[in-house]
Amino acid sequence: MRNIKKPVFFIVFALIAVFSYLTIFGVHNTYGDIETSYIKGVDEIRWGIDIQGGVNATFEPADGVDATDEELEAAKTVIEQRLVSLNITDSEVYVDTTKDRVIVSFPWASDETDFDAEKAVSELGDMAELKFVKGKTADGELIMTGTAVESAAAEPNQKTANQWCVSLKLNKEGTEAFAAATAELKNKGYISVWMDDTSVSVASVAAEITDGNAVITGDFTYEAAKSLADKINAGALPIKMEATSTNTISPTLGEGARNAMAVAGVIALIVVAAYITIVYRLPGAVAAIALCGQVAGSLAAVSGFFGNLDSFTLTIPGIAGIILAIGMGVDANVITAERIKEELRNGKTLNGAIELGYKRAWSAVFDGNITVIFVAIILMGAFGPTDSLFGGLMKPLFFMFGASTAGAIYSLGYTLLVGIILNFLFGIFFSRLMLASISKFKCFRKLWLYNGVAPEKEKKTLNTVKNKSKFYTISCVLFAAILVLTFAKGVNVAAEFAGGTIIEYTYEGTIDTNSVAQKVEEAVSESVTVTTGESMADDSQTLKLTFSTKEGISSEKQLKVKETLSESFADNKLELLSSTDVAASNGKDFMLKCVVAVIIAAVIMVIYIGFRFKKIGGISAGITSVVALIHDLILVYGSFVIFGFSLDSNFIAVLLTILGYSINATIIIYDRIRENRRLLGNKVSMENLVDASITETLGRSIHTTVTTVIAMLIVCVVCWMQGITSIMSFALPMIIGMVSGVYSSNCIAPTLWVMWQNHKKKKSASVSKSHK
């Protein structure tokens, strides 16, 4: 604190301002018709299909091969891996086993200008069979295949300037095979590398290589080397696939939706910044500056701002991760500001209050953020590329599921992890530097700027523990209502989970997708998602109906749909293009994997909280935290049932987001219980200890929840005004989950902890008495 000088504030402020400007606008140079991006801006973010549109392709086995169901499922897995390796996280991959098809949809790249669907899907169907052979020709003796490669990465070629190569890490079998081949061919032969019978590299053997590392060299650019490495990492397709049809997909929301969400985001940031400034004054204003830097950092991480990192597909789950991380950033500053206020009102000097405020807030901020990092790592490891750092880390825990990805969930984990790291940087480190620096100026040393002028009126201690029965009753009533509604209304399950039928038509003129959905649902009593696009074969306009049902849509209902559309939209001249029954892209295995991920996260949290809070019962604190967490997840599920939203990727994203939000809120309470227990010892009862701790942290609970809920409400209102109603299936459950999180953290977890401790105390006393 004493070493932080006055200019530090202006230096940090300038760095945040410049970084934010570069993140938004980037740095570009235009020479003639060629534009070069030195630093990518937010306009180069790759948006999801619903905003930017994209490509739909149908792949079938080449040369009329009759593929087995297992081969089709394996092909689906490889294609998903390839898409995620390209940072395309908003994709759909379905399998139609009856017609030997794999159907793929993914968004356009942010810099796409040609919108050539055939080019966009050209590499997805390649077998990508890698072979190392002796000699210079493809028919040479086989040394090993791509299955011997543990991982591949694009790296600069150390021997040739401005060229790239692909470095390989071989497994045990590959290491032995490569060592034997290089020993045999040393100084007298060649080894060539082939991908799908196309020569990739030919090299003379100068030494025996036994360390399991190999390099593929050639005239590679970074993009070519990365593409080859990604293919090797994703693995070879079991059979060669070819695209039999390609279509463009029209955005269901469009550019207006992107602009509306951008406006909503800016308004939300301004309102949140104004709120924390009004409530916490100077520390709040400093927090608002740091928050701008954190938002800029989150956007930079998905725009491709940092060097060779590709633009990341920004999906609704990804936005959820950014919102949660920003909420955690606000929370860190709120906790610190509350601590500074308390220290000032306890008679500390300004310098001492700032130093002690950050010091005493650190444990709560660290524990809350580190548990969310655990969640993010689990999500990225379980649902991201299997060759990634976290994929390898989580492999032993998810081995029973094989190689599988879920781009939307991976996107959530990625933005969440980046946001939490940025929170440590901006929300804690930079905030501390700025506040300590600006407090050196005489005009900013007035205590009212820190809410520390006069002793606060004595707070009335809340009787939370005494009213625990009321809280439990309220929760049980809500659970019962959700159960009744589940059976009474049923649950809408998206096609990605339940499977279903996709019917495509060609049409002329313009057509209202909302009207189509309404007419179809009235005709066949089945929920349907309607999108439009364009066929690349003949430039005809296409209308796609997606029905979510395990059994698919019967031929009678399909006929009814055709009759209804022909009658209601006669001027559009609809003609049937195709009908496909698809298996669930995210079926039982995916749901089971999500459950396992939540269980693993819960176990890790119990262990971590048990270790960090061992002075207040350890495991009891961890288990009651998880009980409160389950409480919140049930209420989030209930919101989907009540509002009739489909259980889709948004549902999983909201559940996993609230998982991090809720546990953080509970940790704040336990941190204060731990501190008060250390200060007061056994002078007060468990009930009074918890009531006092909840009362002292109530300001933090309210202000953090208000800021995050305000942000979500603004997104809801702006998007609703723009007619973007689909955002509601994400925003409303998020709000309910956030409110439930603060309720369970204050009223469920700590009261259960008191019951546990009292039971433990009585049991211990009973044992002692019996021994006497």
Side-chain angles (χ1 to χ4, degrees):
M1 284 288 297
R2 295 186 181 87
N3 296 327
I4 299 174
K5 306 301 182 184
K6 290 181 179 180
V8 170
F9 172 82
F10 301 102
I11 294 171
V12 175
F13 179 83
L15 287 173
I16 291 175
V18 171
F19 177 57
S20 300
Y21 175 86
L22 292 175
T23 296
I24 294 170
F25 299 105
V27 176
H28 310 282
N29 178 52
T30 303
Y31 183 77
D33 295 331
I34 301 173
E35 183 178 62
T36 304
S37 295
Y38 299 106
I39 297 177
K40 296 178 181 178
V42 294
D43 59 336
E44 294 177 82
I45 292 174
R46 185 174 196 146
W47 293 86
I49 296 175
D50 51 358
I51 292 175
Q52 189 157 308
V55 180
N56 176 266
T58 299
F59 288 95
E60 296 182 10
D63 306 319
V65 172
D66 183 15
T68 65
D69 293 356
E70 290 75 17
E71 287 174 328
L72 291 171
E73 287 293 338
K76 168 183 171 290
T77 299
V78 172
I79 290 173
E80 286 175 332
Q81 289 275 340
R82 291 179 181 179
L83 288 167
V84 174
S85 295
L86 294 170
N87 282 341
I88 300 174
T89 57
D90 183 28
S91 62
E92 297 175 352
V93 185
Y94 297 103
V95 172
D96 179 3
T97 54
T98 59
K99 298 177 182 176
D100 285 359
R101 295 175 176 175
V102 178
I103 302 162
V104 184
S105 300
F106 59 92
W108 292 113
S110 58
D111 57 352
E112 184 65 56
T113 55
D114 297 332
F115 298 99
D116 186 341
E118 292 184 7
K119 180 181 177 183
V121 303
S122 61
E123 293 187 345
L124 289 180
D126 291 344
M127 281 191 69
E129 185 180 26
L130 185 72
K131 294 191 301 183
F132 290 75
V133 300
K134 297 176 182 178
K136 298 181 179 181
T137 59
D139 57 0
E141 183 183 341
L142 180 67
I143 300 171
M144 61 183 183
T145 66
T147 57
V149 179
E150 215 169 70
S151 62
E155 293 183 355
N157 192 325
Q158 301 298 326
K159 296 181 178 179
T160 308
N162 300 320
Q163 282 193 2
W164 288 74
C165 62
V166 179
S167 64
L168 306 177
K169 176 65 178 175
L170 306 178
N171 60 23
K172 183 180 179 181
E173 292 76 13
T175 300
E176 292 173 354
F178 201 63
T182 52
E184 177 189 340
L185 299 172
K186 179 181 176 181
N187 296 324
K188 59 181 179 181
Y190 294 86
I191 291 178
S192 56
V193 184
W194 300 79
M195 175 73 79
D196 292 342
D197 295 327
T198 298
S199 178
V200 173
S201 176
V202 178
S204 60
V205 181
E208 182 181 352
I209 300 174
T210 60
D211 60 359
N213 294 307
V215 177
I216 301 176
T217 57
D219 189 17
F220 292 130
T221 60
Y222 166 74
E223 289 76 14
K226 184 178 183 301
S227 175
L228 178 57
D230 287 343
K231 282 184 178 180
I232 295 170
N233 286 326
L237 286 171
I239 50 174
K240 186 176 181 180
M241 307 287 288
E242 59 184 8
T244 55
S245 68
T246 52
N247 307 291
T248 61
I249 305 171
S250 298
T252 55
L253 300 180
E255 193 172 322
R258 183 184 66 183
N259 296 337
M261 283 191 284
V263 169
V266 171
I267 294 173
L269 183 60
I270 292 171
V271 171
V272 168
Y275 180 88
I276 58 176
T277 301
I278 291 169
V279 172
Y280 292 106
R281 302 178 187 177
L282 187 59
V286 169
I289 296 170
L291 195 62
C292 292
Q294 185 174 340
V295 172
S298 295
L299 293 175
V302 296
S303 68
F305 178 94
F306 300 103
N308 285 322
L309 287 178
D310 291 330
S311 174
F312 207 86
T313 306
L314 190 56
T315 63
I316 286 180
I319 294 170
I322 293 175
I323 290 171
L324 175 56
I326 290 171
M328 300 285 284
V330 171
D331 192 43
N333 284 283
V334 165
I335 293 169
T336 304
E338 286 282 345
R339 285 290 193 171
I340 292 171
K341 180 175 71 174
E342 287 177 17
E343 297 302 330
L344 286 172
R345 292 177 177 180
N346 287 333
K348 295 290 190 299
T349 63
L350 179 58
N351 289 345
I354 293 174
E355 187 167 355
L356 277 174
Y358 276 99
K359 183 179 179 181
R360 292 182 174 172
W362 169 248
S363 62
V365 173
F366 177 80
D367 288 331
N369 281 267
I370 207 72
T371 50
V372 178
I373 285 178
F374 291 153
V375 173
I377 289 174
I378 290 169
L379 298 185
M380 292 184 69
F383 300 102
T386 54
D387 62 285
S388 66
L389 172 64
F390 298 135
L393 191 65
M394 292 292 112
K395 202 171 187 178
L397 299 177
F398 293 93
F399 68 92
M400 73 288 287
F401 296 101
S404 62
T405 58
I409 309 304
Y410 178 69
S411 173
L412 168 61
Y414 174 78
T415 54
L416 191 54
L417 180 63
V418 167
I420 297 301
I421 293 171
L422 291 171
N423 183 26
F424 280 115
L425 179 63
F426 288 96
I428 299 172
F429 181 66
F430 282 165
S431 289
R432 182 176 183 176
L433 287 177
M434 286 190 288
L435 189 60
S437 171
I438 201 170
S439 67
K440 297 288 197 319
F441 291 88
K442 187 175 180 180
C443 60
F444 293 118
R445 293 189 66 81
K446 297 178 173 31
L447 297 188
W448 68 268
L449 289 171
Y450 305 84
N451 284 313
V453 173
E456 193 175 330
K457 290 182 182 179
E458 190 154 345
K459 288 181 182 178
K460 182 180 178 181
T461 303
L462 300 171
N463 292 320
T464 306
V465 179
K466 182 179 178 181
N467 293 305
K468 63 180 180 294
S469 298
K470 295 177 182 177
F471 301 134
Y472 301 161
T473 301
I474 291 170
S475 296
C476 289
V477 169
L478 289 173
F479 293 164
I482 291 168
L483 186 63
V484 170
L485 285 171
T486 298
F487 286 104
K489 290 181 63 175
V491 181
N492 294 326
V493 183
E496 60 188 295
F497 294 133
T501 300
I502 298 175
I503 307 175
E504 287 193 86
Y505 301 92
T506 58
Y507 72 95
E508 296 179 5
T510 58
I511 198 164
D512 184 355
T513 55
N514 291 328
S515 297
V516 171
Q518 182 181 350
K519 292 290 185 183
V520 170
E521 288 175 2
E522 289 174 356
V524 296
S525 301
E526 298 279 0
S527 61
V528 64
T529 301
V530 182
T531 55
T532 57
E534 183 177 330
S535 171
M536 300 303 293
D538 54 10
D539 294 329
S540 60
Q541 297 180 97
T542 59
L543 181 76
K544 184 170 79 170
L545 311 182
T546 303
F547 295 90
S548 172
T549 169
K550 187 175 181 180
E551 295 78 19
I553 300 297
S554 65
S555 56
E556 292 79 10
K557 284 189 175 182
Q558 292 190 37
L559 182 60
K560 182 69 174 175
V561 169
K562 179 65 170 67
E563 291 173 351
T564 300
L565 293 178
S566 297
E567 181 180 332
S568 303
F569 303 94
D571 293 341
N572 295 110
K573 300 179 181 178
L574 281 88
E575 295 291 338
L576 180 65
L577 186 63
S578 66
S579 173
T580 305
D581 290 324
V582 296
S585 63
N586 292 329
K588 290 181 180 178
D589 284 349
F590 176 79
M591 291 299 291
L592 182 59
K593 195 172 189 179
C594 288
V595 171
V596 171
V598 171
I599 291 172
I600 291 173
V603 170
I604 291 175
M605 286 176 185
V606 168
I607 295 171
Y608 180 80
I609 294 172
F611 173 74
R612 288 287 291 165
F613 293 88
K614 56 187 174 184
K615 292 184 179 179
I616 60 168
I619 295 299
S620 61
I623 291 175
T624 51
S625 298
V626 171
V627 170
L629 186 61
I630 294 170
H631 168 282
D632 300 333
L633 298 184
I634 291 173
L635 291 186
V636 168
Y637 162 77
S639 68
F640 275 82
V641 176
I642 291 168
F643 295 117
F645 298 141
S646 294
L647 301 187
D648 54 11
S649 293
N650 282 359
F651 168 67
I652 300 297
V654 173
L655 282 183
L656 297 172
T657 304
I658 297 304
L659 180 77
Y661 186 89
S662 176
I663 202 71
N664 176 63
T666 306
I667 282 175
I668 303 303
I669 306 291
Y670 282 142
D671 179 74
R672 186 56 67 99
I673 293 173
R674 176 176 57 185
E675 181 179 330
N676 286 338
R677 183 71 173 273
R678 185 176 65 249
L679 294 173
L680 301 174
N682 295 321
K683 295 177 184 177
V684 296
S685 66
M686 290 291 180
E687 289 81 0
N688 290 339
L689 175 70
V690 168
D691 284 342
S693 300
I694 291 173
T695 303
E696 290 168 6
T697 57
L698 187 63
R700 170 265 158 200
S701 298
I702 291 173
H703 295 312
T704 298
T705 304
V706 166
T707 52
T708 47
V709 168
I710 281 175
M712 292 310 305
L713 279 174
I714 290 172
V715 170
C716 277
V717 171
V718 172
C719 291
W720 177 76
M721 290 173 64
Q722 295 291 322
I724 310 167
T725 55
S726 61
I727 200 74
M728 297 300 178
S729 68
F730 158 71
L732 282 179
M734 276 282 286
I735 291 172
I736 288 172
M738 288 173 177
V739 173
S740 175
V742 73
Y743 166 73
S744 68
S745 297
N746 285 274
C747 303
I748 304 298
T751 56
L752 288 173
W753 178 82
V754 170
M755 291 174 62
W756 186 308
Q757 294 303 310
N758 285 338
H759 174 74
K760 184 179 176 182
K761 190 175 181 181
K762 288 178 182 178
K763 188 176 179 181
S764 178
S766 176
V767 171
S768 298
K769 189 175 180 181
S770 65
H771 283 186
K772 289 180 181 179

